[in-house]
Amino acid sequence: MSKIGLVVEGGGMRGVYGCGVLDAFLENSITFPYSIGVSAGSANMASFISEQHGRNYRFYTNYSFDERYMSLKNFVTTGSFFGMDYIYTELTETVDPINFEKLVNTDMEYYVVAVEAVTGKPVYFGKEDVAKYKGTIFKASSAVPAMCRPVEIDGKMYFDGGVADSIPVKRALNDGCDKIVAVLTRPKGYVKKPEAGKKIYSEILRDYPVITKALNVRHYVYNHTLEYLYKLEEEGRAFLFCPDNPDGVNLITRNKEQLITLYNEGKVDAENRMDELIAFMNE
């Protein structure tokens, strides 16, 4: 029987699409033996694994409108546009907590991707790390360089995993997966362009030159990964969910109507392709 891996991409507020897809999976009792998530995708994945339907929807459509969630005020006062402590400590551990007991005791193999700030190498945190550090793991995976300060874990600093491994499909295959179900946050055929504001982020990240170098070539790595994923799809080894119409939703969108629309698109996409997905998983 195939070992099927769930790969969940990040993308800030674009992740609301994946939130819709995963909520539809929960409604249809779709499970996986393996999952791996990056940045906002790692938080979506965690709520899916802990079977907390609607939890991430509240983050996107309710909590995100609090200035503590994301704001220029945060950036000026803390050096991070996103309120990492508010999102991944106060909300994630107390106000609307993940069921960490269920999350860390699941039979599913899962990983959260971050990048080590000094070496630029991806790090794959497992359930034992989540058990020990809780929301800090998701904080590390989501710390967008230049927009957020790096996150410290055991004396090492980490940034958003998307810097080094935005769509960790090769990691999933290396971990023994035969097939991939990938939940992406860009339309099919999207081609990533070079990062904007090179002079600005280079200055902000002057203490982390390896991260700057990674950002400079990130579009090449990302586009090559997409090409590889499309090849797997043609071979019948990958099943992709991609939004057709992100409707202007980007990393920091705060338009509630747009966010709800994109969430619903994810749910509808998953529902409409549920039979096809189940057939793919059972082949």
Side-chain angles (χ1 to χ4, degrees), residues 181-245:
V181 174
V183 181
L184 308 181
T185 55
R186 297 286 196 178
K188 189 76 175 288
Y190 169 79
V191 177
K192 188 172 181 61
K193 297 179 180 179
E195 298 288 335
K198 182 177 179 179
K199 289 185 179 180
I200 296 173
Y201 69 68
S202 296
E203 174 59 25
I204 295 174
L205 296 168
R206 58 187 178 277
D207 293 333
Y208 303 101
V210 173
I211 299 299
T212 296
K213 290 180 181 178
L215 289 174
N216 291 343
V217 299
R218 187 183 177 195
H219 58 295
Y220 291 117
V221 177
Y222 186 90
N223 292 333
H224 287 159
T225 301
L226 281 180
E227 290 173 4
Y228 180 69
L229 193 53
Y230 295 155
K231 183 174 183 293
L232 291 176
E233 183 184 35
E234 291 176 358
E235 295 172 354
R237 297 180 62 199
F239 194 101
L240 312 185
F241 287 96
C242 309
D244 288 329
N245 181 22

Side-chain angles (χ1 to χ4, degrees), residues 99 179 224 272:
N99 184 338
K179 293 182 177 180
H224 287 159
N272 287 345

Side-chain angles (χ1 to χ4, degrees), residues 19 25 30 88 102 109-110 151 210 212 223 234 259 263:
C19 176
F25 286 178
I30 300 297
Y88 294 109
K102 190 162 192 173
E109 182 181 357
Y110 73 86
V151 174
V210 173
T212 296
N223 292 333
E234 291 176 358
L259 293 169
Y263 169 83

Side-chain angles (χ1 to χ4, degrees), residues 9 43 64 92 104-106 161 192 207 213 224 235 239 265 270:
E9 185 183 15
S64 68
T92 298
V104 302
N105 289 304
T106 178
K192 188 172 181 61
D207 293 333
K213 290 180 181 178
H224 287 159
E235 295 172 354
F239 194 101
E265 182 182 338

Side-chain angles (χ1 to χ4, degrees), residues 52-266:
Q52 290 174 274
H53 182 283
R55 178 181 174 274
N56 281 102
Y57 178 79
R58 294 190 291 274
F59 276 67
Y60 288 106
T61 63
N62 185 5
Y63 306 131
S64 68
F65 293 89
D66 189 309
E67 68 174 7
R68 291 174 292 176
Y69 197 102
M70 55 180 174
S71 65
L72 288 175
K73 181 180 178 181
N74 281 343
F75 189 77
V76 171
T77 58
T78 70
S80 293
F81 181 83
F82 291 96
M84 307 300 278
D85 290 337
Y86 175 65
I87 300 170
Y88 294 109
T89 301
E90 184 173 344
L91 292 178
T92 298
E93 296 184 13
T94 304
V95 175
D96 199 343
I98 289 176
N99 184 338
F100 282 101
E101 182 177 2
K102 190 162 192 173
L103 181 62
V104 302
N105 289 304
T106 178
D107 292 333
M108 182 187 296
E109 182 181 357
Y110 73 86
Y111 298 94
V112 174
V113 188
V115 61
E116 210 275 304
V118 174
T119 66
K121 294 182 179 180
V123 176
Y124 303 92
F125 292 109
K127 65 179 72 176
E128 68 282 355
D129 300 302
V130 175
K132 184 175 182 179
Y133 299 106
K134 294 190 174 180
T136 302
I137 295 297
F138 306 111
K139 189 187 301 184
S141 183
S142 304
V144 180
M147 294 184 72
C148 299
R149 297 178 63 83
V151 174
E152 181 180 354
I153 299 176
D154 275 347
K156 293 184 178 182
M157 308 303 287
Y158 296 91
F159 280 114
D160 189 311
V163 174
D165 199 358
S166 294
I167 309 172
V169 57
K170 291 184 179 180
R171 172 70 185 203
L173 295 174
N174 288 340
D175 284 341
C177 293
D178 305 297
K179 293 182 177 180
I180 300 296
V181 174
V183 181
L184 308 181
T185 55
R186 297 286 196 178
K188 189 76 175 288
Y190 169 79
V191 177
K192 188 172 181 61
K193 297 179 180 179
E195 298 288 335
K198 182 177 179 179
K199 289 185 179 180
I200 296 173
Y201 69 68
S202 296
E203 174 59 25
I204 295 174
L205 296 168
R206 58 187 178 277
D207 293 333
Y208 303 101
V210 173
I211 299 299
T212 296
K213 290 180 181 178
L215 289 174
N216 291 343
V217 299
R218 187 183 177 195
H219 58 295
Y220 291 117
V221 177
Y222 186 90
N223 292 333
H224 287 159
T225 301
L226 281 180
E227 290 173 4
Y228 180 69
L229 193 53
Y230 295 155
K231 183 174 183 293
L232 291 176
E233 183 184 35
E234 291 176 358
E235 295 172 354
R237 297 180 62 199
F239 194 101
L240 312 185
F241 287 96
C242 309
D244 288 329
N245 181 22
D247 192 28
V249 176
N250 58 34
L251 185 71
I252 59 173
T253 293
R254 300 181 87 167
N255 183 306
K256 190 167 186 175
E257 183 178 347
Q258 288 180 326
L259 293 169
I260 292 174
T261 297
L262 190 53
Y263 169 83
N264 287 333
E265 182 182 338

